[in-house]
């Protein structure tokens, strides 16, 4: 199968005229434009037997790209000074990824495993990039140079199983290891992120009657963030971070 996800990139123009010492109001003009940003999806499913299935999937990067141009003109007693700035930001970034997985089923059990590669090394950064295009000083002023985020590609393995105790009841268990793409904090920037162990338990049941076929599913997920300790030559000289996150969910279904 093939498909696509569509977001919208943003292009903003802001023009501001300031007539200093004249008593005239500041004039601001905004222009906002949106352009399509598309991520491609592709997948394949192979069934060597009724009990065994293999699948592979690919998706290109998906994110929102904001580019903003700001032009400010200041008129002081007839002398006009113009400042032009470009701001570049990437938000809601999800990297290009490829996955390979398999499922094996018996009468009472289903076993599943997959591995996903994430192309985090192409991540442009989590900060706004500011470039001064034109300003007083004949080029002496320059924009702030954003550092390379130096993210690395990651691989996430996952395993899971379902045990069908009876025709109406099932228990589930899963585990995943999520590598952090972020480097250790340094003098230039701090990205506090950890490797993560994810453990999931769940249960499902078919309840109701033939005329009202209802289903209920419960899941509990615990994310254990592997503790990291960093010693640095700048303040703060020691960074310690980690912890745990707990998610719980309940789903009710009506089948028709």
């Amino acid at each position: 199968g093939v498909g696509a996800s569509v977001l919208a990139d943003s292009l903003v123009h802001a023009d501001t005229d300031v007539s200093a010492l004249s008593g005239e109001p500041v004039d601001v003009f905004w222009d906002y434009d949106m352009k399509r940003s598309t991520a491609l999806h592709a997948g394949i499913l192979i069934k060597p037997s009724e009990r065994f299935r293999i699948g592979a999937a690919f998706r290109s990067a998906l994110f929102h790209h904001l580019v903003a141009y700001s032009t400010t003109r200041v008129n002081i007693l007839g002398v006009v000074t113009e400042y032009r700035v470009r701001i570049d930001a990437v938000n809601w970034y999800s990297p290009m990824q490829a996955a390979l997985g398999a499922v094996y089923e018996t009468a009472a059990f289903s076993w599943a495993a997959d591995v996903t590669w994430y192309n985090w090394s192409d991540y442009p950064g989590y900060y706004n990039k500011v470039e001064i295009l034109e300003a007083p000083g004949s080029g002496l002023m320059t924009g702030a140079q954003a550092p390379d985020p130096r993210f690395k590609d990651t691989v996430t393995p996952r395993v899971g199983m379902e045990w069908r105790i009876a025709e109406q009841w099932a228990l589930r268990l899963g585990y995943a290891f999520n590598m952090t793409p972020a480097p250790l904090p340094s003098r230039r920037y701090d990205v506090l992120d950890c490797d993560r162990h994810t453990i999931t338990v769940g249960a499902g049941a078919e309840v109701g009657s033939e005329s009202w076929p209802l289903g209920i599913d419960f899941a509990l997920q615990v994310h254990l963030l592997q503790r990291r300790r960093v010693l640095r030559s700048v303040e703060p000289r020691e960074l310690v971070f980690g912890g745990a996150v707990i998610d719980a969910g309940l789903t009710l279904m009506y089948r028709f």
Side-chain angles (χ1 to χ4, degrees), residues 206-207 209-215 252-256:
E206 297 288 340
V207 297
S209 61
E210 286 191 17
S211 58
W212 284 90
L214 300 178
L252 298 176
M253 296 177 291
Y254 173 68
R255 304 184 187 280
F256 57 92

Side-chain angles (χ1 to χ4, degrees), residues 138-199:
S138 301
L140 297 179
M141 297 178 64
T142 59
Q145 182 64 40
D148 184 347
R150 295 183 181 177
F151 275 29
K152 63 180 184 294
D153 292 351
T154 64
V155 174
T156 297
R158 303 176 184 88
V159 293
M161 60 84 67
E162 179 183 77
W163 177 26
R164 293 175 289 278
I165 302 174
E167 186 176 348
Q168 293 85 11
W169 293 88
L171 295 178
R172 304 179 182 104
L173 179 65
Y175 170 79
F177 177 69
N178 300 272
M179 301 170 55
T180 174
L184 287 172
S186 65
R187 294 175 59 93
R188 303 190 73 183
Y189 51 79
D190 295 332
V191 183
L192 307 186
D193 195 29
C194 311
D195 292 335
R196 177 163 42 98
H197 301 272
T198 302
I199 301 170

Side-chain angles (χ1 to χ4, degrees), residues 16-19 23-28:
T16 305
D17 290 296
V18 181
S19 296
E24 297 181 6
V26 176
D27 186 19
V28 181

